[in-house]
Amino acid sequence: MVPLFAPVRQNEPLFAEIQAKFAEVLRSGEYVLGREVAAFEERLSQQLKFKLAVGVASGTEALVLALRAIGIQPGDEVITPAFSFVASTNAIVWAGAKPAFADVDLETANVTVETVEKAWNSKVRAVIAVDLFGRQAPIEELKKWCQKKSIYLIEDGAQSIGVPNLRPDIYTTSFYPTKNVGAVGDAGAVLTDDAEIAMRVREISRHGGLTRDHYLRVGTTGRIDALQAAILNVKIPKLEGWTKIHRTLAATYRTRLQSLQDSGKIWLPEAPKDPLQHVWALYTVRVPQHRSAFLEALKNKGVGAAVYYPKIIPRQPVYSAPGEFPHSERLAREVLSLPFFAELSSQEIDFVVKQVTECCLSPSI
Ligand SMILES: Cc1ncc(COP(=O)(O)O)c(C=O)c1O
């Protein structure tokens, strides 16, 4: 069986270092904030080239805090993709606002200026552009568009840690264990070049004020756990190396599956013109016909394939929002993600390629 993800394999080579960090934190008594969190924020801001980073409890919390820090409130709307993980939509609602869904581009699965323009109305105060599957959304174009409208751009980089800083107002990320850099539990971060925004995120995530018994805002317990920060201090320096492996693996899948694409059975994802703008959190192909048979066959053959995401967010029972999102609907029908992580062995790649090839050649699929 080749799993879709294998977070234990990311941790295994670092086991001794992580264990030592755990012991250090245990003995330090600094279980909340403290030196490991300060070091984590410093290291992450340097690595991702933002002036400031704030460690928070999860990628979802990062989005809620970002929205609250820019003053999103009831009556406001925030544009977010119809095809994505549900977290960005949930964050908008937790921040008190309403999601305004945008369709996505069929090739990139990301929002574009054209799709956000269609979702625009006068109540919109921000756009959350998700870098889906690790491919960066067109942040520069979106930023220009947001500037014209005098609204904020938040880049949801939960799946894209390591892409270039293209200067959104805020970049958020997640360290959920299966992400490109995984914690051993929940963790996230908010990054920005704006000191005022960073300060507000910090305050809101720490009960509303940085000084004890003096609260400036309605706050919460949204900060990162010191143990997670300590582990991430071991792992963040590995990011560039892991990202390079991801790009090589994506190129390998492409080369070895290309002939199947020519047969029309599957569509392979394109690398962007600037390869740095993709960190390949997932390798997501499209199967235009019989996706469920394809998926079942792969699973039966021992390939841990999965569908991210089978239903668009506006059609989830909790949201049931109106509107037509043809590309999102099509992606939800066709996408299928293959095993993808830096520690995948060459035998495992061979196995996945062989099984995908057999599925494509099978007359019953
Ligand atoms: C695109 C996207 N946004 C936000 C999140 C939320 O991150 P977390 O699980 O850390 O809350 C995730 C992943 O889980 C995600 O994939």
Side-chain angles (χ1 to χ4, degrees), residues 112-251:
T112 62
V113 168
E114 291 71 38
T115 69
V116 297
E117 182 77 54
K118 279 194 193 145
W120 164 258
N121 71 65
S122 61
K123 292 182 186 157
V124 170
R125 297 282 170 268
V127 172
I128 298 181
V130 177
D131 295 338
L132 204 70
F133 307 142
R135 181 176 180 138
Q136 194 163 31
I139 297 301
E140 282 156 326
E141 289 95 320
L142 289 168
K143 180 71 187 290
K144 278 191 207 134
W145 185 83
C146 286
Q147 275 170 337
K148 264 196 249 151
K149 302 278 188 201
S150 300
I151 63 172
Y152 289 95
L153 175 63
I154 299 173
E155 181 177 2
D156 177 352
Q159 301 184 8
S160 74
I161 189 165
V163 291
N165 175 1
L166 299 180
R167 312 262 160 235
D169 294 298
I170 304 179
Y171 177 88
T172 62
T173 196
S174 163
F175 299 99
Y176 183 80
T178 57
K179 300 296 186 211
N180 287 14
V181 178
V184 297
D186 285 307
V190 177
L191 293 110
T192 179
D193 296 325
D194 184 320
E196 179 64 33
I197 290 176
M199 180 57 80
R200 282 189 228 140
V201 169
R202 216 176 271 288
E203 287 166 354
I204 299 167
S205 72
R206 297 167 194 187
H207 300 296
L210 301 186
T211 327
R212 210 188 164 95
D213 299 326
H214 184 67
Y215 304 111
L216 302 161
R217 313 172 191 286
V218 178
T220 185
T221 306
R223 60 210 167 198
I224 193 171
D225 194 275
L227 269 176
Q228 300 302 341
I231 291 164
L232 292 167
N233 280 334
V234 175
K235 298 179 83 172
I236 289 163
K238 313 285 177 201
L239 171 63
E240 272 178 33
W242 287 335
T243 306
K244 276 190 192 139
I245 300 174
H246 278 213
R247 292 197 182 109
T248 307
L249 180 53

Side-chain angles (χ1 to χ4, degrees), residues 299-356:
K299 282 190 186 161
N300 290 339
K301 287 163 178 289
V303 174
V307 172
Y308 291 82
Y309 302 90
K311 190 185 268 200
I312 69 168
I313 302 168
R315 300 293 174 263
Q316 290 289 349
V318 58
Y319 290 114
S320 297
E324 296 303 316
F325 309 97
H327 288 166
S328 299
E329 294 276 20
R330 183 160 168 199
L331 287 166
R333 268 196 316 273
E334 297 184 359
V335 287
L336 186 148
S337 298
L338 299 178
F340 200 88
F341 48 93
E343 299 75 19
L344 207 59
S345 71
S346 53
Q347 290 89 332
E348 286 174 319
I349 298 168
D350 290 348
F351 182 79
V352 173
V353 167
K354 181 167 179 284
Q355 305 312 327
V356 172

Side-chain angles (χ1 to χ4, degrees), residues 260 263 265-266 287 289-290 293-298 301 354-365:
L260 302 173
S263 77
K265 284 261 189 154
I266 60 171
V287 182
Q289 282 172 344
H290 315 300
F294 204 102
L295 176 64
E296 272 321 292
L298 277 182
K301 287 163 178 289
K354 181 167 179 284
Q355 305 312 327
V356 172
T357 307
E358 277 180 17
C359 284
C360 284
L361 300 179
S362 160
S364 61
I365 294 175

